[in-house]
Amino acid sequence: MIAFLYAQGHLRDEPIPATLPLEFENEVEPGSQVIFTPEGRHRKSVIAYIADLAQDNESTQPEGSITDILNNGTPVITRPNFRLALWMARYYLVHPVEAIGALLPAPLKTTMQDMVEPEGFRLQVQGSKVVATSLRKAILGILAREQRLTVRQLERRLGKKNLYRTLGAMQAGGLVRLGKSFQTTKAKTRTAYRLCQHLDEENASSLLATAPKQLEAVMLLLKGSGVLFPDEQGIRRSTLEELRKKGITEKFAVEITTAFSNQFSEPHISIRQLTVEQQAVLEEMKKAAAAQTFAPFLLHGVTGSGKTIVYIELLKTVLAAGRTAIVLVPEISLTPQTASRFSQHFGDRIQILHSAMSSQEKYQAWQKLRTGKASIALGARSTIFAPLENIGAIIVDEEHDTAYKQDRTPRYHGRDTAVMRAKLEGAVCVLGSATPSFESYTNALGGKYRLLQLPNRVDHAAMPALKLVPMLENRRITPSLSETLYLQIKARLEKKEQVILLQNRRGYAGSILCQECGHIPTCPHCGIPMVYHAAGALLRCHYCGYALSYTNSCPKCHSENIFYRQSGTQRIASELATLFPGEKILRMDVDTTGTKGAHAMLLKEFRDRNASILLGTQMVAKGLDFPDVTLVGVLMADIGLSVPDFRASERLFSLMMQVAGRAGRASKPGEVYLQAYDIESPVYRFLLNGSYEEFYHSEAAIRKELGYPPFARLISIECSSPDEDAAATAAHELGKLLNEALSCDSCTILGPAPAALACINGRYRHQVVLKLRDRLAATTYLKKVQYYLAGRYAQNDLRVIIDVDPQNMM
Ligand code: ADP
Ligand code: ZN
Ligand code: ZN
């Protein structure tokens, strides 16, 4: 027979024909993992995946043969998942092998760690029958002596290759055990400093009267999370060492991982009855699930409308019908609450997957799902590939979140892949959000998804009132804080209520924002903020390449008070410390959440009311309920608009709605204050009236006119190289080739232009962006150009990256 397979290291789009020896014929099927040995003396044997089987025929010329079978031939990829991988390969313009790679945990993609050991006692009992051949006897002889070997070592000892099938049969006969070995890696640690146990503040202050830096460190330790890392928060290692010598601080080691930790365990809340709205939505979904056919839904439910319990109820019926389910969340470590609610309901039947798992844990979780020991997989985007069979429902929570798009090859979108998987599996797919992505909402309006709505909060609390603080007119108490917001904070603290402050710095990429007049220089052709390039003193549009000279002052009011890169949270924290001396301020950003469980610990401290101000980046906006928060303040909302990305308004709108959702309950209404410069910007108007629909329609009209998604498709192609000239020349050639090949009216070619982040890790980046009305027009050609350019500029280490439906345009 002939097997058609995809082989590692053979980056070809079509499956490779290979001879399947007679002895293997009944042992493999599509999805089986095998060893493929190409024709010719010096070609290396590699792992391959069988796509299809066919009878021998004259027209197919095998290019090698299958020489061994892994996993006893049991498919490692289910049939629907195989089709999903091939869809990904076609849609995202990657090789099928790369797409298949995304489906499997790392240990399955190598035979390096395969171990074999004797199965112990059963040897005598069953021995006589199975140990028939001399090969098997020899294997048992070696294993009896050496106990545990890699399959490779065993092959070397015997001077034989391709033992998997034999070992598989011996395993089935209870003679040996096959497994994977894992290096146990020691947890990574980092040195940190804390205050010694017995230390009183006054003593320390007097001691340090002559050393202001040391005093600052001590104050930070007293007020913050109690831990300082050297060279962070403006404190040097030498300062902390000085303090240690004086017996004020001590050194200790902190484990660093971002593991999902249940440190944020929640009291079990049992919900007695669904609201009428929840019930109606749930009925729709249950009906669709009972039909066991593909049914995509968009659940548009405001924050606090109780979406989670609806998901849980849906999953209960899916499991009761003997089917399985997948739940996607944007990032587990940031939303410990969602994961813990699902665990509470499903216990052992749910397998949580997260990025900080070791490869052994990931492999075990995969096995658990593959063998049906768990029936729900919950995790971030790659969980969509969970090896479950008979899937009844797929839920994508916070479907608008940008974390669903993978930023390395294959650059798939977890949400879109979820919809496709549900289609292949005949499952219900629920995309849930308070601020749906424009893509999904457009699909819902067009009838591709069914729109379900939860327009009210569960407890019928009003959505918090949003107010705009015009920074140009308001008196400022500190550089970042207006008098209005300051007075609001003060009032809440006096009432012993809690405050969340957000400094949005999402994706800041070198655009210019004038702190005097609020001006953001924008490309007249693309409507996108321009980016500052120090070399050449230019402002440049990185979509179309349009450039203006720039002289470090605002083009509109000539002020030199320009907001650049500073994160701000640290500075704002110290401003707040001066204004509210008695208050403990929790700061949550990348600096303070790098250690294991730090994020959950900060949330816990805030929930337990050990602090009344939580200040941070967008992390503070993510899903948690704090009943005593009555005020949310956004320090500089305009930063969100200065991002050079056509989705800037959409992202700002959804972030603001999300953070606003943190404030207020029925008993204690909340308020949200947005400090802003460009108060005329339409996005604020829609935020104030709280209407997602109106915002959508207004913004959609602009997108339609300028030809941006979801009314056109984008594909960006980046050329990067350590050699700037090579990157630019290649991008130029790319633009030229595309212009020649695609000169049709269904496509616009933007660029080439330097990327907004012009250089990352020593690689210079230039890009071309395609706007397509008909996606198919370009795709086959693009891959050819990709290979051609990578080959032509190989000596310049050129990489050509194709990003289909790019989410990040920088
Ligand atoms: P969303 O995800 O839509 O923002 P959640 O699912 O987090 O909302 O629910 C918000 C809060 O309402 C949670 O504390 C939840 O326990 C509570 N809740 C949800 N449904 C009900 C209900 N039917 N009755 C009482 N409380 C509910
Ligand atoms: Zn200005
Ligand atoms: Zn432009």
Side-chain angles (χ1 to χ4, degrees), residues 33 41 66 78 98 211 264 279 296 310 336 343 364 377 411 417 445 469 566 607 613 659 663 717 747 761:
Q33 211 180 20
R41 283 231 144 252
I66 291 176
T78 62
E98 290 174 309
F264 193 87
Q279 196 62 47
V310 175
S343 307
Q364 282 162 352
R411 292 164 193 263
T417 309
L445 294 184
V469 182
Q566 298 81 2
R607 187 194 57 189
I613 300 180
V659 73
I717 308 127
C747 149
N761 294 332

Side-chain angles (χ1 to χ4, degrees), residues 271 273-275 277-278 302-307 309 454-461:
I271 292 167
Q273 213 182 355
L274 295 192
T275 64
E277 283 179 352
Q278 284 173 319
V302 298
T303 49
S305 60
K307 295 187 283 296
I309 191 71
L454 292 174
N456 298 302
R457 288 184 149 187
V458 169
D459 54 4
H460 290 284

Side-chain angles (χ1 to χ4, degrees), residues 513-519 553-559 561-562:
L513 171 54
C514 174
Q515 297 205 84
E516 209 55 51
C517 76
H519 179 63
S553 63
C554 171
K556 198 167 158 199
C557 76
H558 308 294
S559 156
N561 184 7
I562 304 290

